Amino acid sequence: MFMDSDNGRQQELDLVVENLNRAFINEERTEAVIAACTLFDHGDDKRHVQEIYTGADRALVKLLNLSMSFADPDAEEIALLVKALDMVYRCPGKYVWTSYLDVAEVLIPLYIGILELCLSARDNLDPTVVDITNSLLKISNCRFSSDSIDSRPVVDGMGMIAQLVGVADSMVDIKAKINAIITISNLTHETEDSVLLSMATFSKKAIPNLLITTATNPLFGDKTRKVSLGGLLNISSLAQNQALLGVDVGIIHGLCNLMREEDPDFKRGATAILDCFSKHPSSGIALVKYKKGIAVTSLIRMTHEMDDTICRSAISSLRNLLETPEVEKAMKSKKNEYRGVQVSGEEHGQAAHAHGSHDTGAAANGRRPAKFAGGPLPGEF
């Protein structure tokens, strides 16, 4: 149990939490939440852990639930409560996760409702959106921590994911956008197949299109772009999604652009996704036909990369295409468009041998490719 030698601070904390729990009328709520924001606004991990142990998180969620129950919720009061909870969540990740498991059943519906209000409001509520997405990002990051032993998901259903997509697509602070995009990408690492399938089909493929748009946009910075690409790979790894996403011209176009990037991480991610798409006949044909075979010629170019992971994914993609009769036929009919590069099965096999034997991996064996490891901002694919 956490022990703090500063008895004066503990007494002050006890009083603030008690006032949060007892507040009901407007003046009491306002006074309690202002006192909480004042006390919780610091960067001391131990003190934030102390706040969790004292029940500050539960008291804030309880009062937030009360505030949202009124017919006309006070936007300023809600903003302060959200900010105070985000302050408490500056504690180390394992305590964030412990708190989340305790309050999630009440907190997530509240966050959904608040984001709906914020995104539909005309006035500037960016700080509230930033604070909520900050907290959700911290929670989703906990799923990558070795301290997280509970397997329960970060969100249940698509309600919260829908709101995060709304944030990413809205005219809000760029920090809120990035928080939302990374949180969505994080959720693709620890979800069941049914959720991954829903994320691909949700709102006319809004999530995959959001992820590829982010991955190809330099304005978001390399870390956010790579996380988005990782999220798209996780969604694309599900067999039911390969036909759905592999025929999307916008996604194929984005992946071809990423294979032109100097950073090998983007090439690794793009070729890995194309390797997923190449397993399904309809998406394979779409790859062959896209802009006179640009996707295939890009994959052929990737087989000459020095990076072994890129090379293997490209070879696996081409092999998958050649092993599907209708796709192989389409490739042979367009062979002249590949600028003289031979793509017959025999010559392709020689190329694979030159690069070393390659296990086509997860797809060939009916398994999903391995997810990214090492945290929400993977350094490599």
Side-chain angles (χ1 to χ4, degrees), residues 8 14 32 67 87-88 101 145 163 179 200 234 257 262 266-267 272 278 326 329 366 368:
D14 288 338
S67 298
M87 290 174 182
V88 173
L101 294 177
S145 170
Q163 293 305 316
N179 287 344
N234 289 335
N257 286 339
E262 291 185 8
F266 293 113
K267 295 177 182 178
S278 67
E326 53 264 52
K329 181 178 179 181
R368 195 186 298 173

Side-chain angles (χ1 to χ4, degrees), residues 317-325 327-328 331 343-345 348:
S317 301
L318 294 169
R319 178 181 293 161
N320 289 334
L321 292 175
L322 288 167
E323 289 176 351
T324 306
V327 178
E328 182 181 13
M331 289 181 73
V343 292
S344 70
H348 178 70

Side-chain angles (χ1 to χ4, degrees), residues 261-283:
E261 294 271 353
E262 291 185 8
D263 189 331
D265 285 347
F266 293 113
K267 295 177 182 178
R268 291 190 195 107
T271 53
I273 293 171
L274 289 174
D275 190 15
C276 293
F277 291 167
S278 67
K279 297 163 186 137
H280 195 281
S282 61
S283 54

Side-chain angles (χ1 to χ4, degrees), residues 279-309:
K279 297 163 186 137
H280 195 281
S282 61
S283 54
I285 291 173
L287 291 177
V288 172
K289 292 184 176 181
Y290 175 69
K291 288 192 175 180
K292 299 183 178 180
I294 286 179
V296 176
T297 55
S298 296
L299 284 169
I300 294 172
R301 189 176 70 252
M302 293 297 101
T303 64
H304 300 288
E305 285 286 322
M306 296 298 294
D307 186 288
D308 187 60
T309 303

